[in-house]
Amino acid sequence: MTQLQTTEVPAAKNPSLAPPDKLAVTLIVNGVEQTLRLAPWTTLLDALRDHLNLTGTKKGCDHGQCGACTVLVEGRRINSCLTFAVMQDGARITTIEGLARNGVLHPLQQAFTDHDAFQCGYCTPGQICSAAGLLAEGKPLTRDEIREAMSGNICRCGAYPNIVAAIEQAMGRT
Ligand code: FES
Ligand code: FES
Protein backbone atom coordinates (compact mmCIF):
# COMPACT_ATOMS: atom_id res chain seq x y z
CA MET A 1 0.00 0.00 0.00
CA THR A 2 1.37 3.37 -0.96
CA GLN A 3 1.46 5.98 1.71
CA LEU A 4 0.11 9.40 0.92
CA GLN A 5 2.86 11.93 1.30
CA THR A 6 1.94 15.44 2.34
CA THR A 7 4.33 18.31 2.23
CA GLU A 8 3.71 21.09 4.71
CA VAL A 9 4.38 24.56 3.39
CA PRO A 10 5.45 26.95 6.14
CA ALA A 11 2.95 29.78 6.61
CA ALA A 12 5.66 32.32 5.80
CA LYS A 13 6.10 30.73 2.33
CA ASN A 14 2.42 30.24 1.65
CA PRO A 15 0.73 33.58 0.95
CA SER A 16 -2.71 32.10 1.54
CA LEU A 17 -1.78 31.28 5.17
CA ALA A 18 0.20 34.40 5.99
CA PRO A 19 -1.71 36.92 8.13
CA PRO A 20 -2.68 40.05 6.19
CA ASP A 21 -0.69 43.18 6.75
CA LYS A 22 -1.89 45.69 9.26
CA LEU A 23 -3.50 48.75 7.74
CA ALA A 24 -3.07 52.40 8.59
CA VAL A 25 -6.40 53.82 9.76
CA THR A 26 -7.00 57.45 10.66
CA LEU A 27 -9.87 58.27 12.99
CA ILE A 28 -10.75 61.70 14.35
CA VAL A 29 -11.76 60.74 17.84
CA ASN A 30 -13.31 63.41 20.05
CA GLY A 31 -11.66 66.05 17.86
CA VAL A 32 -8.19 64.51 17.91
CA GLU A 33 -6.74 62.87 14.80
CA GLN A 34 -5.37 59.41 15.57
CA THR A 35 -3.56 57.15 13.12
CA LEU A 36 -3.37 53.49 14.07
CA ARG A 37 -2.00 50.37 12.44
CA LEU A 38 -4.68 47.75 12.80
CA ALA A 39 -5.43 44.24 11.66
CA PRO A 40 -8.22 44.52 9.08
CA TRP A 41 -10.66 42.65 11.31
CA THR A 42 -10.31 45.10 14.24
CA THR A 43 -13.71 46.47 15.13
CA LEU A 44 -14.16 50.15 15.84
CA LEU A 45 -15.04 49.12 19.41
CA ASP A 46 -11.72 47.29 19.88
CA ALA A 47 -9.80 50.13 18.23
CA LEU A 48 -11.29 52.58 20.74
CA ARG A 49 -10.90 50.41 23.81
CA ASP A 50 -7.71 48.44 23.13
CA HIS A 51 -5.71 50.84 20.96
CA LEU A 52 -6.81 54.28 22.19
CA ASN A 53 -7.58 53.31 25.79
CA LEU A 54 -11.05 54.89 25.56
CA THR A 55 -12.75 52.35 27.78
CA GLY A 56 -15.88 54.42 28.38
CA THR A 57 -17.39 52.65 25.38
CA LYS A 58 -18.47 49.26 26.68
CA LYS A 59 -18.44 45.78 25.18
CA GLY A 60 -21.58 43.94 26.17
CA CYS A 61 -22.52 41.28 23.63
CA ASP A 62 -20.05 42.09 20.79
CA HIS A 63 -22.87 41.03 18.43
CA GLY A 64 -25.02 44.12 17.88
CA GLN A 65 -27.62 43.06 20.41
CA CYS A 66 -27.19 45.32 23.44
CA GLY A 67 -26.12 48.84 22.39
CA ALA A 68 -23.47 49.14 25.12
CA CYS A 69 -20.90 49.98 22.43
CA THR A 70 -22.87 52.85 20.84
CA VAL A 71 -20.77 55.79 19.61
CA LEU A 72 -21.44 58.61 17.17
CA VAL A 73 -19.87 58.44 13.71
CA GLU A 74 -20.28 61.75 11.88
CA GLY A 75 -23.02 62.50 14.40
CA ARG A 76 -24.99 59.30 13.77
CA ARG A 77 -25.26 56.58 16.39
CA ILE A 78 -23.91 53.17 15.52
CA ASN A 79 -22.93 49.97 17.28
CA SER A 80 -19.16 50.12 17.21
CA CYS A 81 -18.90 46.32 17.57
CA LEU A 82 -20.55 45.91 14.18
CA THR A 83 -18.19 48.01 12.08
CA PHE A 84 -14.53 47.48 11.25
CA ALA A 85 -12.28 50.41 12.08
CA VAL A 86 -10.94 50.42 8.50
CA MET A 87 -14.47 51.10 7.27
CA GLN A 88 -14.43 54.37 9.24
CA ASP A 89 -11.11 55.63 7.93
CA GLY A 90 -11.18 59.45 8.07
CA ALA A 91 -14.44 59.61 10.04
CA ARG A 92 -15.20 61.78 13.05
CA ILE A 93 -16.02 59.60 16.04
CA THR A 94 -17.52 60.86 19.29
CA THR A 95 -17.40 58.65 22.36
CA ILE A 96 -18.74 59.24 25.85
CA GLU A 97 -15.37 60.79 26.76
CA GLY A 98 -15.93 63.51 24.14
CA LEU A 99 -19.37 64.75 25.15
CA ALA A 100 -18.51 67.11 28.03
CA ARG A 101 -17.23 70.56 27.09
CA ASN A 102 -14.68 72.47 29.17
CA GLY A 103 -15.53 70.47 32.25
CA VAL A 104 -19.28 70.99 31.82
CA LEU A 105 -21.35 67.84 31.43
CA HIS A 106 -23.35 67.33 28.26
CA PRO A 107 -27.07 67.99 28.98
CA LEU A 108 -27.72 64.26 28.68
CA GLN A 109 -24.99 63.41 31.17
CA GLN A 110 -26.47 65.96 33.56
CA ALA A 111 -30.00 64.65 32.99
CA PHE A 112 -28.96 61.02 33.58
CA THR A 113 -27.42 62.15 36.87
CA ASP A 114 -30.46 64.23 37.83
CA HIS A 115 -32.86 61.36 37.13
CA ASP A 116 -30.72 58.59 38.59
CA ALA A 117 -31.01 56.91 35.20
CA PHE A 118 -28.66 54.02 35.93
CA GLN A 119 -27.83 51.42 38.51
CA CYS A 120 -24.63 49.54 37.63
CA GLY A 121 -23.87 52.08 34.89
CA TYR A 122 -22.54 49.56 32.40
CA CYS A 123 -25.05 50.44 29.69
CA THR A 124 -24.96 54.17 30.45
CA PRO A 125 -22.27 55.40 28.00
CA GLY A 126 -24.10 53.62 25.18
CA GLN A 127 -27.47 54.95 26.36
CA ILE A 128 -26.14 58.51 26.46
CA CYS A 129 -24.41 58.31 23.07
CA SER A 130 -27.52 56.78 21.56
CA ALA A 131 -29.68 59.51 23.08
CA ALA A 132 -27.24 62.15 21.78
CA GLY A 133 -27.71 60.74 18.28
CA LEU A 134 -31.46 60.74 18.81
CA LEU A 135 -31.46 64.39 19.91
CA ALA A 136 -29.33 65.31 16.90
CA GLU A 137 -31.97 63.79 14.64
CA GLY A 138 -34.15 66.65 15.92
CA LYS A 139 -37.50 64.88 15.76
CA PRO A 140 -40.14 65.72 18.37
CA LEU A 141 -40.92 62.39 19.98
CA THR A 142 -43.57 61.16 22.35
CA ARG A 143 -42.53 59.12 25.37
CA ASP A 144 -43.42 55.91 23.53
CA GLU A 145 -41.44 57.01 20.49
CA ILE A 146 -38.41 57.68 22.69
CA ARG A 147 -38.76 54.15 24.07
CA GLU A 148 -38.97 52.75 20.55
CA ALA A 149 -36.03 54.84 19.31
CA MET A 150 -33.92 53.70 22.27
CA SER A 151 -34.95 50.05 22.04
CA GLY A 152 -31.55 49.00 20.71
CA ASN A 153 -29.99 49.94 24.04
CA ILE A 154 -30.59 47.30 26.67
CA CYS A 155 -30.42 48.11 30.38
CA ARG A 156 -30.15 44.93 32.40
CA CYS A 157 -30.81 46.91 35.59
CA GLY A 158 -34.16 48.05 34.20
CA ALA A 159 -33.61 51.79 34.61
CA TYR A 160 -35.82 52.47 31.59
CA PRO A 161 -38.36 54.90 33.17
CA ASN A 162 -35.51 57.06 34.50
CA ILE A 163 -33.66 56.89 31.18
CA VAL A 164 -36.73 58.12 29.30
CA ALA A 165 -37.24 60.89 31.89
CA ALA A 166 -33.62 61.96 31.47
CA ILE A 167 -33.94 62.10 27.70
CA GLU A 168 -37.11 64.15 28.02
CA GLN A 169 -35.26 66.58 30.28
CA ALA A 170 -32.44 66.89 27.75
CA MET A 171 -35.07 67.52 25.08
CA GLY A 172 -36.19 70.48 27.18
CA ARG A 173 -39.53 69.07 28.29
CA THR A 174 -39.03 69.09 32.05
S1 FES B 1 -21.41 45.27 22.37
FE1 FES B 1 -22.11 46.14 20.52
S2 FES B 1 -24.24 45.88 20.56
FE2 FES B 1 -23.54 44.81 22.33
S1 FES C 1 -27.60 50.61 34.57
FE1 FES C 1 -26.99 48.53 34.72
S2 FES C 1 -27.28 47.78 32.72
FE2 FES C 1 -28.14 49.75 32.65
Side-chain angles (χ1 to χ4, degrees):
M1 198 156 114
T2 37
Q3 273 209 320
L4 206 59
Q5 297 267 323
T6 55
T7 311
E8 284 208 3
V9 180
K13 290 191 181 164
N14 184 342
S16 67
L17 296 179
D21 289 341
K22 291 189 173 179
L23 303 172
V25 180
T26 299
L27 305 170
I28 302 153
V29 183
N30 301 328
V32 179
E33 189 172 305
Q34 309 271 8
T35 298
L36 304 168
R37 289 198 69 77
L38 299 172
W41 54 81
T42 307
T43 63
L44 178 58
L45 174 60
D46 287 342
L48 292 169
R49 288 183 56 86
D50 299 342
H51 296 265
L52 294 174
N53 206 26
L54 292 169
T55 53
T57 304
K58 298 294 185 264
K59 183 180 283 192
C61 63
D62 213 16
H63 283 85
Q65 301 289 315
C66 73
C69 64
T70 307
V71 298
L72 301 170
V73 175
E74 302 293 344
R76 297 186 62 193
R77 52 193 176 146
I78 67 161
N79 290 335
S80 60
C81 71
L82 287 187
T83 185
F84 294 122
V86 292
M87 294 164 65
Q88 305 303 337
D89 191 31
R92 284 175 300 141
I93 317 288
T94 305
T95 70
I96 190 71
E97 291 90 345
L99 287 181
R101 286 275 173 274
N102 302 320
V104 179
L105 293 178
H106 185 281
L108 278 163
Q109 292 173 309
Q110 187 61 56
F112 269 63
T113 304
D114 294 346
H115 288 272
D116 212 12
F118 45 81
Q119 188 174 320
C120 75
Y122 196 81
C123 73
T124 310
Q127 300 278 2
I128 290 177
C129 283
S130 188
L134 182 62
L135 261 56
E137 289 161 19
K139 297 183 196 135
L141 298 176
T142 65
R143 187 167 285 198
D144 280 346
E145 287 168 337
I146 293 172
R147 286 197 190 96
E148 174 66 26
M150 293 293 295
S151 62
N153 290 80
I154 307 297
C155 176
R156 289 166 180 83
C157 298
Y160 296 114
N162 309 48
I163 291 170
V164 173
I167 294 171
E168 285 192 303
Q169 174 175 311
M171 283 179 163
R173 297 218 197 126
T174 55

